[in-house]
Amino acid sequence: MAAPRAVLLLSGKRKSGKDFVAEELRSRLGPDVCTVLRLSGPLKEQYAKDHGLDFQRLLDASAYKEMYRQDMIHWGEEKRRADPGFFCRTAVEGAAQPVWV
């Protein structure tokens, strides 16, 4: 992992367009220059591993994900309390592009 030259953080409510803006930036800058890093992916992947769940189904907008949403939020908060950088370190593994979104 190389240190990035720029890091752009997007925040907002659910369904506010964060993913759309991130993908638009990556599309315009190019995948060799820009990578989109998401904290929700590593969180959901670890939650799925720890709880024996289907990681791919936790990524989509399904009733399956909604069934686990509240517990996943609580679990993620506890994980961050114990190790504040856990999900960030996981998200940036292998990122080599100079711009991170």
Side-chain angles (χ1 to χ4, degrees), residues 1-100:
M1 174 189 74
R5 291 195 344 211
V7 176
L8 306 169
L9 300 174
L10 304 177
S11 69
K13 294 182 178 185
R14 285 177 53 212
K15 308 289 184 189
S16 65
K18 297 178 300 291
D19 289 340
F20 174 80
V21 171
E23 289 304 325
E24 190 68 21
L25 287 167
R26 188 179 66 76
S27 168
R28 290 178 186 218
L29 295 172
D32 55 324
V33 172
C34 178
T35 187
V36 175
L37 305 170
R38 292 182 174 87
L39 294 179
S40 63
L43 185 149
K44 289 174 184 173
E45 184 173 18
Q46 191 62 49
Y47 181 81
K49 285 179 186 175
D50 288 2
H51 294 86
L53 300 174
D54 184 336
F55 169 57
Q56 292 303 316
R57 291 188 66 198
L58 290 177
L59 293 175
D60 63 25
S62 67
Y64 183 84
K65 177 175 72 177
E66 293 304 321
M67 251 182 353
Y68 298 103
R69 179 181 295 282
Q70 288 305 316
D71 187 58
M72 193 170 14
I73 290 169
H74 176 72
W75 174 86
E77 289 169 353
E78 291 298 317
K79 199 81 164 158
R80 277 188 293 278
R81 219 179 325 277
D83 180 0
F86 177 79
F87 296 115
C88 290
R89 285 191 309 275
T90 305
V92 302
E93 280 179 9
Q97 295 86 338
V99 178
W100 296 357

